[in-house]
Amino acid sequence: MGRKVTLATCSLNQWALDFEGNLERILKSIEIAKAHGAKYRLGPELEIWPIMHHNVRYNCRILFLNRKILLIRPKMQMANDGNYREMRWFSPWNQLRQVEEYFLPRMIQEVTGQDTVPFGDCVLSTKDTCIGTEMCAELWKPRSPHIQMGLDGVEIFTNSSASHHELRKADQRVNLVKSATTKSGGIYLYANQRGCDGDRVYYDGCAMVAINGDIVAQGEQFSLNDVEVITATLDLEDVRSYRGENCQPNMVRKHRVKVDFSLSSGDDIYLPTHQPVTWNYHTPEEEISLGPACWLWDYLRRSGQAGFLLPLSGGVDSSSTACIVHSMCVLLCQAIEDGNSQVLVDVRRVVGDDSYRPRDPRELCGHIFTTCYMASENSSEDTCSRAKGLASQIGSTHMNINIDMAVKGILGIFSVVTGRFPQFRANGGSHRENLALQNVQARVRMVLAYLFAQLSLWARGKPGGLLVLGSANVDESLTGYFTKYDCSSADINPIGGISKTDLKSFLLYCVEQFQLTTLKGIVAAPPTAELEPLTDGQVSQTDEADMGMTYSELSVIGRLRKISKCGPFSMFCKLIHTWKDVLSPMEVAEKVKHFFRMYSVNRHKMTTVTPSYHAESYSPDDNRFDLRPFLYNTGWVWQFRCINNQVAINRSQSRDRNNKVTGLHRFVSEVDVISWRDTLYGKA
């Protein structure tokens, strides 16, 4: 009947400037799409094609058929917020429904035999349907191109995307695709980049196909496959029937490029079509287990290093990093078992053994993951035992290192030069002395971490070096609750964009998913840096006491600062309602002022923070996501005065209310007395 079409979309793990590898993955996806009977194949954004037109650089999709370019469609609405600065590299095409001639470069002319091709805001008209293009951020914008294209009769929408992973974001993407075809019908193909493209974000695939508001094909969100192609066979008549009752004629037409080609065939009566499926969403704990693990693997195999080294303290943060590496090893072993030859080749290159084949995740972990507990005189037996227990369960090569000798040597140099020896606060020292002594320990750990990363494999007679992993969470970065250039300073950090609250939930998930029972004790223990002297062998310092607020409070504050764009006063105005059941306005004011003092005093630390996996929408990453000054007026004089004034007004109003209540009670008491007397004398 000539109405059913088989379409393909894909997720590709492309890598900037890897021209040969990128081409190989594109060609492989085309071969797979053809093998599945697809007549149209869609790839992710910028898989290979930036275009210069009139000396202006555009982000473009190129549609071609049988060695002929049919049209070039430049991106019209740019991603220029959050992680993206697209207008730094490209210009938007602002000429709606305008098409120009594009003169092909000579090398392309020799291949296609064409001199010029259409360039602009146009759609492709085949013998049996009409195909329109939108790109990545255009789907998320208020004036998405698919709206006008649908009204103009376009039946197949295609979106080439490079959309990064963020916790709890997948449903937004799916809902946008479903909504695009719910309103006016149509088929929607969504392609996405996958993997670590050499940056702080992880592109999480999720290629999909939808029709009339239903998802009919779903790709994987997290995968070690460099090429994934999904296909769907759909009936164009379903689109036409859906639109028959909903769409009105559109008087604004897009330029159509006609092509002598059909996506459907004449004999398709017995060709089955894809039916709606239910999208399987990962829980946040699963996302943490999978996304950063895939990101770490891409970074490791492309960095040329031989594994990872992690300072493992026995706390929630470093244990979370360790569990993510373990999850990575689980994914690698599963991929090899499933026949992924590329993963096996990469694993062999990393371990330096061309015949190696991992027996299980724990054994692989021992080859590529080194952990070390860096003890000082302030460390407890509990954290040492927990670190050792976790290392044993995941299979890492574990070391115990004592840093006291190095710390005393550094303090000895200071003492010789100045004639003074600083003391901890517990021993009568000042706040400045106490802080300096903590920082020395933390910075010594960083130096030793890099030393062992460079030489530990050499000491074992093996080639290569190790990447140092960091383990500072997003909340600590927000307040600056870490030492600049301590062991949170590393090569990369898989948890730097994840909140403490989510990390605790993740560890409990790992207890069940990977049978890592040591994690129960780690989650139950109070978070502590263990940089101050112990009291009777027990920890006397806790993170939340040092910060002056809980991690859950920090998550709320962080979202208000970044997502809601709140300064001190507007944050106070929101929190007096959010926290009204647990804190008074005066207590809220103190929390807000304390946070902004810490945030502004420590903001300079974000300029040197370790590159971290982006996972949270309130990340304070200074490199590209949260561009702000790093020198603030830490007094916040005007803002804090506004807060204080409101607190004073509230206290005054409270006193007035109390006085009125007291007066009312007195009046009621007097009435009660009069009533009692009247009753006593028979006047009632």
Side-chain angles (χ1 to χ4, degrees), residues 73-361:
R73 200 287 207 168
K75 193 171 183 178
M76 302 166 68
Q77 302 179 54
M78 316 302 279
N80 215 50
D81 59 350
N83 282 299
Y84 301 106
R85 299 290 177 271
E86 198 169 0
M87 292 187 69
R88 186 175 185 177
W89 310 108
F90 301 106
S91 295
W93 179 258
N94 294 319
Q95 302 179 55
L96 297 179
R97 297 180 295 278
Q98 298 298 310
V99 178
E100 299 179 356
E101 278 192 325
Y102 174 74
F103 286 83
L104 294 170
R106 185 174 300 170
M107 66 177 70
I108 304 298
Q109 292 179 18
E110 293 173 356
V111 174
T112 68
Q114 300 166 283
D115 296 325
T116 63
V117 295
F119 183 103
D121 180 18
C122 52
V123 297
L124 188 68
S125 185
T126 67
K127 286 184 173 181
D128 51 359
T129 189
C130 188
I131 305 170
T133 297
E134 64 183 7
M135 299 173 64
C136 197
E138 293 176 344
L139 172 63
W140 300 73
K141 300 294 184 179
R143 298 176 63 183
S144 297
H146 69 259
I147 298 172
Q148 284 298 323
M149 288 193 295
L151 294 173
D152 190 26
V154 172
E155 295 178 328
I156 300 174
F157 310 111
T158 65
N159 188 316
S160 300
S161 192
S163 179
H164 67 278
H165 171 243
E166 203 170 83
L167 292 176
R168 305 173 179 89
K169 174 186 171 184
D171 64 316
Q172 299 177 45
R173 189 187 292 147
V174 174
N175 289 338
L176 283 169
V177 170
K178 292 170 68 174
S179 173
T181 58
T182 298
K183 290 175 288 189
S184 62
I187 296 169
Y188 203 105
L189 271 69
Y190 178 88
N192 196 21
Q193 166 82 329
R194 167 175 289 154
C196 170
D197 191 26
D199 216 324
R200 290 162 170 79
V201 296
Y202 174 79
Y203 298 100
D204 58 335
C206 289
M208 67 186 94
V209 182
I211 180 171
N212 299 342
D214 292 318
I215 302 294
V216 294
Q218 170 189 353
E220 293 184 84
Q221 184 174 13
F222 307 106
S223 172
L224 299 182
N225 294 322
D226 287 344
V227 177
E228 180 191 32
V229 178
I230 63 169
T231 58
T233 300
L234 300 168
D235 194 334
L236 293 173
E237 287 299 318
D238 290 338
V239 175
R240 293 157 188 165
S241 298
Y242 187 94
R243 286 181 172 176
E245 297 180 1
N246 298 322
C247 291
Q248 301 297 321
N250 181 32
M251 304 309 295
V252 180
R253 302 293 184 188
K254 283 187 179 290
H255 178 83
R256 298 193 177 206
V257 175
K258 297 179 182 178
V259 57
D260 185 16
F261 185 76
S262 295
L263 295 184
S264 59
S265 63
D267 184 18
D268 59 11
I269 241 181
Y270 295 105
L271 187 64
T273 57
H274 281 63
Q275 299 304 306
V277 298
T278 300
W279 191 278
N280 297 314
Y281 293 104
H282 290 288
T283 65
E285 294 78 17
E286 290 172 335
E287 290 184 273
I288 295 171
S289 175
L290 298 171
C294 293
W295 183 75
L296 282 181
W297 175 239
D298 270 356
Y299 198 101
L300 176 60
R301 67 183 177 130
R302 288 169 171 171
S303 70
Q305 298 302 299
F308 298 117
L309 180 137
L310 171 69
L312 184 60
S313 69
V316 167
D317 295 333
S318 61
S319 297
S320 296
T321 296
C323 288
I324 289 171
V325 176
H326 177 71
S327 177
M328 181 193 81
C329 293
V330 171
L331 292 175
L332 291 172
C333 290
Q334 185 61 55
I336 292 171
E337 185 178 327
D338 293 342
N340 191 320
S341 58
Q342 184 61 54
V343 169
L344 182 58
V345 168
D346 290 335
V347 166
R348 286 173 172 173
R349 188 177 67 252
V350 169
V351 302
D353 183 351
D354 291 339
S355 62
Y356 174 72
R357 189 180 186 92
R359 296 193 304 273
D360 55 60

Side-chain angles (χ1 to χ4, degrees), residues 538-558:
Q538 299 299 313
V539 171
S540 59
Q541 175 193 31
T542 63
D543 293 351
E544 292 184 336
D546 280 357
M547 292 189 298
M549 58 188 68
T550 65
Y551 280 106
S552 59
E553 289 172 341
L554 268 177
S555 291
V556 173
I557 286 174

